[in-house]
Amino acid sequence: FNVILGSVDTGGVPELLNSDDQYLVLDPEFLANRWQLMFTVDATSPTDSPSQLTFNLESRTANFVGLIDQRVELFNYNTGQFEQIDTRNTTAADSVTTVTPGGDPTRFVQPGTGAMQARIRCQNGVPWWIVDLTNIFLPFKTRVDQVFWNITP
């Protein structure tokens, strides 16, 4: 994984492997009047041409619950850009986001290497001045318990 916007509070790759309440904890960065977090997770597919692909993310957030937008994007190797495949509000308890993108799943697998990349973005959905002012200096924390892909050859 790689944090693009924000920082790691605790944890690392081992915390992403199992659903065991051992978390990768991430802190957002305050940018453009919002708390924002962006990180990527890389994996390798056992096949360059899957018939189906499912991305799974188990996570939760603390502070601003219900006001944090979470977006899941997968890198499309045909277009050379990330493609948004899911958006939803985060929850205070662990929840699993399971997304099976429509269309040809091979676009998310790099030919020859099997490389795959997901980008997860979180931000408070409304500017801080609209939210209860007591929370201005309380950014949300994202706890990621597990990330994995299901690949069907």
Short mmCIF file of all heavy atoms in Angstrom, two decimals, residues 67-120:
data_model
loop_
_atom_site.label_atom_id
_atom_site.label_comp_id
_atom_site.label_asym_id
_atom_site.label_seq_id
_atom_site.Cartn_x
_atom_site.Cartn_y
_atom_site.Cartn_z
N LEU A 67 -20.74 11.30 7.54
CA LEU A 67 -20.40 12.46 6.73
C LEU A 67 -19.14 12.24 5.91
O LEU A 67 -18.68 13.14 5.23
CB LEU A 67 -20.21 13.70 7.61
CG LEU A 67 -21.44 14.14 8.40
CD1 LEU A 67 -21.09 15.28 9.34
CD2 LEU A 67 -22.56 14.55 7.46
N ILE A 68 -18.57 11.04 5.99
CA ILE A 68 -17.34 10.75 5.26
C ILE A 68 -17.70 9.96 4.00
O ILE A 68 -18.29 8.89 4.08
CB ILE A 68 -16.34 9.94 6.11
CG1 ILE A 68 -16.05 10.65 7.43
CG2 ILE A 68 -15.06 9.66 5.33
CD1 ILE A 68 -15.44 12.02 7.30
N ASP A 69 -17.34 10.50 2.85
CA ASP A 69 -17.52 9.81 1.58
C ASP A 69 -16.33 8.91 1.33
O ASP A 69 -15.18 9.33 1.48
CB ASP A 69 -17.62 10.82 0.42
CG ASP A 69 -18.81 11.74 0.54
OD1 ASP A 69 -19.87 11.28 1.00
OD2 ASP A 69 -18.67 12.92 0.18
N GLN A 70 -16.59 7.68 0.95
CA GLN A 70 -15.53 6.74 0.58
C GLN A 70 -15.71 6.36 -0.88
O GLN A 70 -16.79 5.97 -1.30
CB GLN A 70 -15.62 5.48 1.44
CG GLN A 70 -14.67 4.38 1.02
CD GLN A 70 -14.93 3.12 1.81
OE1 GLN A 70 -14.47 2.99 2.93
NE2 GLN A 70 -15.70 2.21 1.24
N ARG A 71 -14.64 6.50 -1.65
CA ARG A 71 -14.66 6.11 -3.06
C ARG A 71 -13.64 5.01 -3.30
O ARG A 71 -12.52 5.09 -2.82
CB ARG A 71 -14.30 7.28 -3.96
CG ARG A 71 -15.30 8.37 -3.99
CD ARG A 71 -14.89 9.42 -4.98
NE ARG A 71 -15.43 10.69 -4.54
CZ ARG A 71 -14.97 11.85 -4.92
NH1 ARG A 71 -13.96 11.94 -5.73
NH2 ARG A 71 -15.53 12.95 -4.47
N VAL A 72 -14.05 4.02 -4.05
CA VAL A 72 -13.13 2.95 -4.45
C VAL A 72 -12.95 3.06 -5.96
O VAL A 72 -13.94 3.11 -6.71
CB VAL A 72 -13.68 1.55 -4.08
CG1 VAL A 72 -12.75 0.46 -4.59
CG2 VAL A 72 -13.86 1.44 -2.57
N GLU A 73 -11.69 3.11 -6.37
CA GLU A 73 -11.35 3.20 -7.79
C GLU A 73 -10.35 2.10 -8.12
O GLU A 73 -9.49 1.79 -7.29
CB GLU A 73 -10.71 4.56 -8.09
CG GLU A 73 -11.57 5.73 -7.68
CD GLU A 73 -10.82 7.06 -7.66
OE1 GLU A 73 -9.60 7.07 -7.42
OE2 GLU A 73 -11.48 8.09 -7.91
N LEU A 74 -10.49 1.51 -9.29
CA LEU A 74 -9.52 0.53 -9.76
C LEU A 74 -8.80 1.11 -10.98
O LEU A 74 -9.41 1.83 -11.78
CB LEU A 74 -10.20 -0.79 -10.15
CG LEU A 74 -10.90 -1.55 -9.03
CD1 LEU A 74 -11.50 -2.85 -9.58
CD2 LEU A 74 -9.95 -1.85 -7.88
N PHE A 75 -7.51 0.78 -11.09
CA PHE A 75 -6.74 1.29 -12.22
C PHE A 75 -7.11 0.51 -13.47
O PHE A 75 -7.04 -0.71 -13.51
CB PHE A 75 -5.24 1.20 -11.97
CG PHE A 75 -4.44 1.97 -12.99
CD1 PHE A 75 -4.33 3.34 -12.90
CD2 PHE A 75 -3.84 1.32 -14.05
CE1 PHE A 75 -3.62 4.06 -13.86
CE2 PHE A 75 -3.12 2.02 -15.01
CZ PHE A 75 -3.01 3.39 -14.91
N ASN A 76 -7.51 1.25 -14.52
CA ASN A 76 -7.90 0.67 -15.79
C ASN A 76 -6.67 0.73 -16.70
O ASN A 76 -6.22 1.81 -17.10
CB ASN A 76 -9.06 1.46 -16.38
CG ASN A 76 -9.56 0.92 -17.69
OD1 ASN A 76 -8.80 0.42 -18.52
ND2 ASN A 76 -10.87 1.03 -17.91
N TYR A 77 -6.09 -0.43 -17.00
CA TYR A 77 -4.87 -0.49 -17.80
C TYR A 77 -5.12 -0.21 -19.28
O TYR A 77 -4.18 0.08 -20.02
CB TYR A 77 -4.16 -1.84 -17.60
CG TYR A 77 -3.55 -1.93 -16.23
CD1 TYR A 77 -4.25 -2.48 -15.17
CD2 TYR A 77 -2.27 -1.42 -15.98
CE1 TYR A 77 -3.70 -2.54 -13.90
CE2 TYR A 77 -1.71 -1.47 -14.71
CZ TYR A 77 -2.44 -2.04 -13.68
OH TYR A 77 -1.90 -2.07 -12.42
N ASN A 78 -6.39 -0.23 -19.73
CA ASN A 78 -6.71 0.13 -21.11
C ASN A 78 -6.69 1.64 -21.31
O ASN A 78 -6.22 2.13 -22.33
CB ASN A 78 -8.07 -0.42 -21.53
CG ASN A 78 -8.09 -1.93 -21.59
OD1 ASN A 78 -7.05 -2.58 -21.70
ND2 ASN A 78 -9.27 -2.52 -21.53
N THR A 79 -7.22 2.38 -20.32
CA THR A 79 -7.29 3.85 -20.44
C THR A 79 -6.11 4.54 -19.76
O THR A 79 -5.86 5.71 -20.01
CB THR A 79 -8.59 4.38 -19.82
OG1 THR A 79 -8.58 4.10 -18.41
CG2 THR A 79 -9.81 3.78 -20.48
N GLY A 80 -5.42 3.82 -18.87
CA GLY A 80 -4.31 4.43 -18.13
C GLY A 80 -4.78 5.36 -17.02
O GLY A 80 -4.04 6.23 -16.59
N GLN A 81 -6.02 5.16 -16.55
CA GLN A 81 -6.59 6.01 -15.51
C GLN A 81 -7.35 5.17 -14.50
O GLN A 81 -7.78 4.06 -14.80
CB GLN A 81 -7.54 7.04 -16.12
CG GLN A 81 -6.90 7.97 -17.09
CD GLN A 81 -7.94 8.93 -17.69
OE1 GLN A 81 -9.14 8.67 -17.69
NE2 GLN A 81 -7.46 10.05 -18.20
N PHE A 82 -7.56 5.77 -13.30
CA PHE A 82 -8.40 5.11 -12.32
C PHE A 82 -9.86 5.25 -12.72
O PHE A 82 -10.27 6.29 -13.25
CB PHE A 82 -8.18 5.71 -10.93
CG PHE A 82 -6.96 5.18 -10.25
CD1 PHE A 82 -5.76 5.88 -10.33
CD2 PHE A 82 -6.99 3.98 -9.55
CE1 PHE A 82 -4.62 5.39 -9.72
CE2 PHE A 82 -5.85 3.49 -8.94
CZ PHE A 82 -4.67 4.19 -9.02
N GLU A 83 -10.64 4.22 -12.45
CA GLU A 83 -12.06 4.19 -12.75
C GLU A 83 -12.82 3.99 -11.44
O GLU A 83 -12.58 3.02 -10.73
CB GLU A 83 -12.33 3.02 -13.71
CG GLU A 83 -13.74 2.90 -14.18
CD GLU A 83 -13.91 1.74 -15.16
OE1 GLU A 83 -13.03 1.53 -16.02
OE2 GLU A 83 -14.92 1.02 -15.02
N GLN A 84 -13.72 4.92 -11.13
CA GLN A 84 -14.50 4.79 -9.89
C GLN A 84 -15.48 3.65 -10.03
O GLN A 84 -16.25 3.59 -10.99
CB GLN A 84 -15.24 6.09 -9.60
CG GLN A 84 -15.99 6.04 -8.29
CD GLN A 84 -16.60 7.38 -7.92
OE1 GLN A 84 -15.92 8.39 -7.95
NE2 GLN A 84 -17.88 7.38 -7.60
N ILE A 85 -15.45 2.72 -9.05
CA ILE A 85 -16.35 1.58 -9.11
C ILE A 85 -17.34 1.56 -7.95
O ILE A 85 -18.28 0.77 -7.96
CB ILE A 85 -15.58 0.24 -9.18
CG1 ILE A 85 -14.69 0.05 -7.95
CG2 ILE A 85 -14.78 0.14 -10.47
CD1 ILE A 85 -14.14 -1.34 -7.79
N ASP A 86 -17.12 2.42 -6.93
CA ASP A 86 -18.04 2.44 -5.80
C ASP A 86 -17.89 3.75 -5.04
O ASP A 86 -16.79 4.31 -4.95
CB ASP A 86 -17.75 1.28 -4.85
CG ASP A 86 -18.81 1.15 -3.75
OD1 ASP A 86 -19.96 0.78 -4.07
OD2 ASP A 86 -18.49 1.44 -2.59
N THR A 87 -18.99 4.22 -4.49
CA THR A 87 -18.97 5.36 -3.58
C THR A 87 -20.06 5.14 -2.54
O THR A 87 -21.13 4.62 -2.86
CB THR A 87 -19.16 6.71 -4.31
OG1 THR A 87 -19.02 7.77 -3.38
CG2 THR A 87 -20.50 6.79 -5.01
N ARG A 88 -19.75 5.49 -1.29
CA ARG A 88 -20.70 5.30 -0.18
C ARG A 88 -20.22 6.09 1.03
O ARG A 88 -19.08 6.52 1.07
CB ARG A 88 -20.86 3.83 0.16
CG ARG A 88 -19.60 3.18 0.72
CD ARG A 88 -19.71 1.70 0.95
NE ARG A 88 -19.91 1.00 -0.30
CZ ARG A 88 -20.52 -0.17 -0.41
NH1 ARG A 88 -20.98 -0.79 0.64
NH2 ARG A 88 -20.67 -0.75 -1.57
N ASN A 89 -21.09 6.21 2.03
CA ASN A 89 -20.69 6.80 3.31
C ASN A 89 -20.03 5.73 4.16
O ASN A 89 -20.41 4.56 4.10
CB ASN A 89 -21.89 7.37 4.06
CG ASN A 89 -22.39 8.66 3.46
OD1 ASN A 89 -21.63 9.41 2.86
ND2 ASN A 89 -23.67 8.92 3.61
N THR A 90 -19.07 6.13 4.96
CA THR A 90 -18.40 5.20 5.85
C THR A 90 -19.28 4.92 7.07
O THR A 90 -20.27 5.62 7.31
CB THR A 90 -17.04 5.74 6.31
OG1 THR A 90 -17.26 6.97 7.01
CG2 THR A 90 -16.11 5.97 5.14
N THR A 91 -18.89 3.91 7.85
CA THR A 91 -19.64 3.53 9.05
C THR A 91 -18.71 3.52 10.25
O THR A 91 -17.49 3.46 10.10
CB THR A 91 -20.26 2.14 8.88
OG1 THR A 91 -19.21 1.21 8.63
CG2 THR A 91 -21.25 2.12 7.73
N ALA A 92 -19.30 3.56 11.45
CA ALA A 92 -18.50 3.54 12.68
C ALA A 92 -18.07 2.12 13.05
O ALA A 92 -17.07 1.93 13.73
CB ALA A 92 -19.30 4.14 13.84
N ALA A 93 -18.81 1.12 12.60
CA ALA A 93 -18.45 -0.28 12.84
C ALA A 93 -17.84 -0.84 11.56
O ALA A 93 -18.08 -0.32 10.47
CB ALA A 93 -19.69 -1.08 13.22
N ASP A 94 -17.06 -1.89 11.71
CA ASP A 94 -16.48 -2.53 10.53
C ASP A 94 -17.58 -2.85 9.52
O ASP A 94 -18.63 -3.39 9.88
CB ASP A 94 -15.78 -3.84 10.90
CG ASP A 94 -14.39 -3.62 11.44
OD1 ASP A 94 -13.99 -2.47 11.64
OD2 ASP A 94 -13.68 -4.62 11.66
N SER A 95 -17.35 -2.49 8.28
CA SER A 95 -18.26 -2.87 7.20
C SER A 95 -17.42 -3.29 6.01
O SER A 95 -16.32 -2.80 5.81
CB SER A 95 -19.20 -1.72 6.83
OG SER A 95 -18.48 -0.65 6.29
N VAL A 96 -17.97 -4.21 5.25
CA VAL A 96 -17.26 -4.74 4.10
C VAL A 96 -17.87 -4.15 2.83
O VAL A 96 -19.08 -4.26 2.61
CB VAL A 96 -17.32 -6.28 4.05
CG1 VAL A 96 -16.62 -6.81 2.80
CG2 VAL A 96 -16.68 -6.87 5.31
N THR A 97 -17.03 -3.54 2.03
CA THR A 97 -17.41 -3.05 0.71
C THR A 97 -16.97 -4.12 -0.27
O THR A 97 -15.77 -4.41 -0.38
CB THR A 97 -16.71 -1.72 0.39
OG1 THR A 97 -17.09 -0.75 1.37
CG2 THR A 97 -17.05 -1.22 -0.99
N THR A 98 -17.91 -4.73 -0.96
CA THR A 98 -17.60 -5.74 -1.98
C THR A 98 -18.15 -5.23 -3.30
O THR A 98 -19.35 -4.97 -3.41
CB THR A 98 -18.23 -7.10 -1.63
OG1 THR A 98 -17.70 -7.53 -0.37
CG2 THR A 98 -17.91 -8.14 -2.69
N VAL A 99 -17.26 -5.07 -4.28
CA VAL A 99 -17.66 -4.50 -5.55
C VAL A 99 -17.20 -5.41 -6.69
O VAL A 99 -16.03 -5.77 -6.76
CB VAL A 99 -17.07 -3.10 -5.74
CG1 VAL A 99 -17.57 -2.48 -7.02
CG2 VAL A 99 -17.39 -2.20 -4.57
N THR A 100 -18.14 -5.76 -7.56
CA THR A 100 -17.83 -6.49 -8.78
C THR A 100 -18.12 -5.55 -9.94
O THR A 100 -19.28 -5.32 -10.28
CB THR A 100 -18.70 -7.77 -8.89
OG1 THR A 100 -18.50 -8.56 -7.72
CG2 THR A 100 -18.34 -8.56 -10.13
N PRO A 101 -17.08 -4.97 -10.52
CA PRO A 101 -17.31 -4.02 -11.60
C PRO A 101 -17.91 -4.71 -12.84
O PRO A 101 -17.57 -5.85 -13.14
CB PRO A 101 -15.93 -3.44 -11.91
CG PRO A 101 -14.95 -4.35 -11.28
CD PRO A 101 -15.67 -5.13 -10.23
N GLY A 102 -18.80 -4.00 -13.51
CA GLY A 102 -19.37 -4.53 -14.73
C GLY A 102 -18.39 -4.43 -15.89
O GLY A 102 -17.33 -3.82 -15.77
N GLY A 103 -18.75 -5.03 -16.97
CA GLY A 103 -17.91 -4.98 -18.16
C GLY A 103 -16.76 -5.99 -18.09
O GLY A 103 -16.77 -6.91 -17.28
N ASP A 104 -15.79 -5.78 -18.94
CA ASP A 104 -14.66 -6.69 -19.07
C ASP A 104 -13.68 -6.49 -17.91
O ASP A 104 -13.04 -5.44 -17.82
CB ASP A 104 -13.96 -6.45 -20.40
CG ASP A 104 -12.81 -7.40 -20.67
OD1 ASP A 104 -12.57 -8.31 -19.85
OD2 ASP A 104 -12.13 -7.21 -21.69
N PRO A 105 -13.53 -7.47 -17.02
CA PRO A 105 -12.64 -7.30 -15.87
C PRO A 105 -11.16 -7.28 -16.23
O PRO A 105 -10.33 -6.84 -15.43
CB PRO A 105 -12.96 -8.50 -14.98
CG PRO A 105 -13.49 -9.54 -15.90
CD PRO A 105 -14.18 -8.78 -17.01
N THR A 106 -10.82 -7.71 -17.43
CA THR A 106 -9.38 -7.73 -17.80
C THR A 106 -8.80 -6.33 -17.88
O THR A 106 -7.58 -6.18 -17.81
CB THR A 106 -9.16 -8.47 -19.14
OG1 THR A 106 -9.84 -7.78 -20.18
CG2 THR A 106 -9.64 -9.91 -19.06
N ARG A 107 -9.65 -5.30 -17.99
CA ARG A 107 -9.13 -3.93 -18.04
C ARG A 107 -8.43 -3.52 -16.76
O ARG A 107 -7.64 -2.57 -16.74
CB ARG A 107 -10.24 -2.95 -18.40
CG ARG A 107 -11.29 -2.72 -17.32
CD ARG A 107 -12.45 -1.87 -17.88
NE ARG A 107 -13.42 -1.47 -16.90
CZ ARG A 107 -14.47 -2.19 -16.53
NH1 ARG A 107 -14.67 -3.39 -17.04
NH2 ARG A 107 -15.33 -1.72 -15.64
N PHE A 108 -8.70 -4.24 -15.66
CA PHE A 108 -8.10 -3.91 -14.37
C PHE A 108 -6.86 -4.76 -14.06
O PHE A 108 -6.33 -4.68 -12.95
CB PHE A 108 -9.13 -4.07 -13.25
CG PHE A 108 -10.32 -3.17 -13.41
CD1 PHE A 108 -11.59 -3.70 -13.56
CD2 PHE A 108 -10.18 -1.79 -13.44
CE1 PHE A 108 -12.70 -2.88 -13.71
CE2 PHE A 108 -11.28 -0.95 -13.60
CZ PHE A 108 -12.53 -1.50 -13.73
N VAL A 109 -6.42 -5.56 -15.02
CA VAL A 109 -5.24 -6.41 -14.83
C VAL A 109 -4.23 -6.09 -15.93
O VAL A 109 -4.55 -6.15 -17.12
CB VAL A 109 -5.62 -7.91 -14.89
CG1 VAL A 109 -4.39 -8.79 -14.71
CG2 VAL A 109 -6.67 -8.23 -13.83
N GLN A 110 -3.02 -5.75 -15.53
CA GLN A 110 -1.99 -5.40 -16.51
C GLN A 110 -1.52 -6.66 -17.25
O GLN A 110 -1.08 -7.63 -16.62
CB GLN A 110 -0.80 -4.73 -15.83
CG GLN A 110 0.25 -4.24 -16.81
CD GLN A 110 1.39 -3.55 -16.10
OE1 GLN A 110 1.93 -4.07 -15.14
NE2 GLN A 110 1.73 -2.37 -16.59
N PRO A 111 -1.63 -6.65 -18.58
CA PRO A 111 -1.18 -7.81 -19.36
C PRO A 111 0.32 -8.08 -19.13
O PRO A 111 1.12 -7.17 -19.07
CB PRO A 111 -1.43 -7.40 -20.81
CG PRO A 111 -2.46 -6.31 -20.73
CD PRO A 111 -2.18 -5.61 -19.43
N GLY A 112 0.65 -9.35 -18.98
CA GLY A 112 2.04 -9.74 -18.84
C GLY A 112 2.54 -9.78 -17.41
O GLY A 112 3.38 -10.61 -17.07
N THR A 113 2.03 -8.91 -16.55
CA THR A 113 2.50 -8.87 -15.16
C THR A 113 1.42 -9.28 -14.17
O THR A 113 1.73 -9.69 -13.06
CB THR A 113 2.97 -7.46 -14.76
OG1 THR A 113 1.84 -6.58 -14.72
CG2 THR A 113 4.03 -6.93 -15.71
N GLY A 114 0.13 -9.12 -14.53
CA GLY A 114 -0.97 -9.40 -13.61
C GLY A 114 -1.15 -8.33 -12.56
O GLY A 114 -1.93 -8.49 -11.62
N ALA A 115 -0.45 -7.20 -12.69
CA ALA A 115 -0.54 -6.12 -11.69
C ALA A 115 -1.96 -5.55 -11.63
O ALA A 115 -2.62 -5.41 -12.65
CB ALA A 115 0.45 -5.01 -12.01
N MET A 116 -2.40 -5.25 -10.41
CA MET A 116 -3.69 -4.61 -10.16
C MET A 116 -3.47 -3.52 -9.11
O MET A 116 -2.62 -3.66 -8.24
CB MET A 116 -4.71 -5.61 -9.62
CG MET A 116 -4.99 -6.77 -10.54
SD MET A 116 -6.26 -7.88 -9.90
CE MET A 116 -5.52 -8.41 -8.37
N GLN A 117 -4.24 -2.45 -9.20
CA GLN A 117 -4.12 -1.39 -8.21
C GLN A 117 -5.50 -0.81 -7.91
O GLN A 117 -6.28 -0.53 -8.81
CB GLN A 117 -3.20 -0.28 -8.70
CG GLN A 117 -2.91 0.75 -7.61
CD GLN A 117 -1.88 1.78 -8.04
OE1 GLN A 117 -2.13 2.55 -8.96
NE2 GLN A 117 -0.73 1.76 -7.39
N ALA A 118 -5.77 -0.64 -6.61
CA ALA A 118 -6.99 0.02 -6.14
C ALA A 118 -6.59 1.32 -5.45
O ALA A 118 -5.55 1.38 -4.80
CB ALA A 118 -7.75 -0.87 -5.17
N ARG A 119 -7.41 2.33 -5.61
CA ARG A 119 -7.20 3.60 -4.90
C ARG A 119 -8.45 3.88 -4.09
O ARG A 119 -9.56 3.84 -4.60
CB ARG A 119 -6.92 4.73 -5.89
CG ARG A 119 -6.68 6.06 -5.21
CD ARG A 119 -6.13 7.10 -6.17
NE ARG A 119 -7.12 7.49 -7.16
CZ ARG A 119 -6.84 8.31 -8.18
NH1 ARG A 119 -5.62 8.80 -8.35
NH2 ARG A 119 -7.80 8.62 -9.03
N ILE A 120 -8.24 4.15 -2.80
CA ILE A 120 -9.35 4.45 -1.90
C ILE A 120 -9.21 5.91 -1.48
O ILE A 120 -8.15 6.34 -1.04
CB ILE A 120 -9.36 3.52 -0.66
CG1 ILE A 120 -9.66 2.07 -1.09
CG2 ILE A 120 -10.42 3.96 0.33
CD1 ILE A 120 -8.48 1.28 -1.47
#
